Amino acid sequence: MTKAIRFHRFGGPEVLQCDDIEVPPPGAGEVRIRHAACGLNFIDTYQRSGLYPVPLPAIVGNDAAGTVEAIGAGVSDFKPGDRVAYAMGLGAACEVRNMDAARVVALPDDIAFEQAAAMMLRGMTVQYLIRRTYRVQPGDVVLLHAAAGGVGLIACQWLRALGAVVIGTAGSDEKCALALRHGAHHCINYQTQDFTRAVRELTDGKGVAVVYDSVGQRTFAGSLDC
């Protein structure tokens, strides 16, 4: 038996309960993982509330990191004792679970379990934004809203490593300082500055190659003007 945080009906946090569940041996193509840390994301609340319906009963959580305890038939990329992490696998808030090995990644020794569980979904988000939605090239000038958030801090570092010029925005001077420490070349406090005007000044009126805007209504029109 193992412990899991599960909900049997949709609702607020009060529907969550700690249950004992059975975890069978890993099937073909699966690894059995003992979790050391589980991530927490907004999508977890959407699934629990029923905004994004999932089959019930359901174990909350989608991201985690831990150690492989056993492998199923056909698994060759992992062995017991390996440190691993994954994202977007409903049922993460438990002590032990089986997971499709194809959804699991090896975890370097210098990345803590807590760090891995927190960064998997955010890292995947950055990857599709800067390598698929618009493939950033060296020399591109990029405007990144919410540069001091979880996605933003990864994006700042990755964009700088790609050779882009990163103009971030954030809601306070403290957050701007954090973004600058993580790779942004410039950071605009949109509470005290007109970010559109500031971007035009920083780019000599040319604007940017792409805007990554996770804020929405408040920034959408200004983002288009950049």
Side-chain angles (χ1 to χ4, degrees):
M1 302 291 287
T2 188
K3 299 289 186 183
I5 305 300
R6 191 160 61 165
F7 54 101
H8 296 256
R9 58 185 175 87
F10 297 120
E14 70 279 357
V15 304
L16 298 175
Q17 61 187 58
C18 185
D19 290 342
D20 290 320
I21 62 169
E22 290 279 0
V23 180
E30 292 184 334
V31 294
R32 180 169 175 158
I33 303 171
R34 178 164 293 277
H35 290 152
C38 300
L40 179 64
N41 295 290
F42 278 122
I43 192 174
D44 302 337
T45 68
Y46 297 158
Q47 291 167 338
R48 184 256 300 148
S49 69
L51 181 63
Y52 293 175
V54 295
L56 298 178
I59 299 171
V60 73
N62 293 271
D63 313 338
T67 304
V68 174
E69 284 194 334
I71 60 174
V75 175
S76 58
D77 292 335
F78 301 102
K79 64 183 184 304
D82 284 349
R83 303 173 75 252
V84 296
Y86 63 86
M88 299 308 295
L90 181 64
C94 57
E95 293 176 317
V96 177
R97 76 172 303 181
N98 294 326
M99 190 70 187
D100 182 353
R103 303 283 299 276
V104 175
V105 297
L107 189 60
D109 289 339
D110 58 350
I111 296 180
F113 289 125
E114 294 82 1
Q115 185 179 23
M119 70 183 237
M120 286 293 295
L121 181 61
R122 291 158 180 80
M124 291 167 64
T125 300
V126 174
Q127 198 277 339
Y128 88 73
L129 288 173
I130 72 176
R131 306 311 288 154
R132 302 188 192 189
T133 305
Y134 173 83
R135 191 171 181 85
V136 175
Q137 302 297 316
D140 280 347
V141 183
V142 174
L143 176 59
L144 175 68
H145 289 298
V151 169
L153 293 178
I154 294 176
C156 284
Q157 297 171 75
W158 200 335
L159 287 165
R160 188 161 188 140
L162 290 172
V165 177
V166 185
I167 303 175
T169 74
S172 69
D173 291 341
E174 292 78 13
K175 289 181 178 180
C176 280
L178 182 62
L180 291 169
R181 291 198 300 271
H182 285 78
H185 294 83
H186 312 277
C187 195
I188 303 160
N189 181 345
Y190 58 75
Q191 300 284 8
T192 59
Q193 293 178 271
D194 179 337
F195 75 84
T196 303
R197 178 179 296 177
V199 168
R200 288 292 176 181
E201 292 174 352
L202 288 168
T203 62
D204 295 325
K206 297 176 183 178
V208 299
V210 61
V211 181
Y212 294 112
D213 187 349
S214 61
V215 177
Q217 182 177 1
R218 180 175 181 179
T219 54
F220 182 75
S223 293
L224 293 180
D225 288 340
C226 290

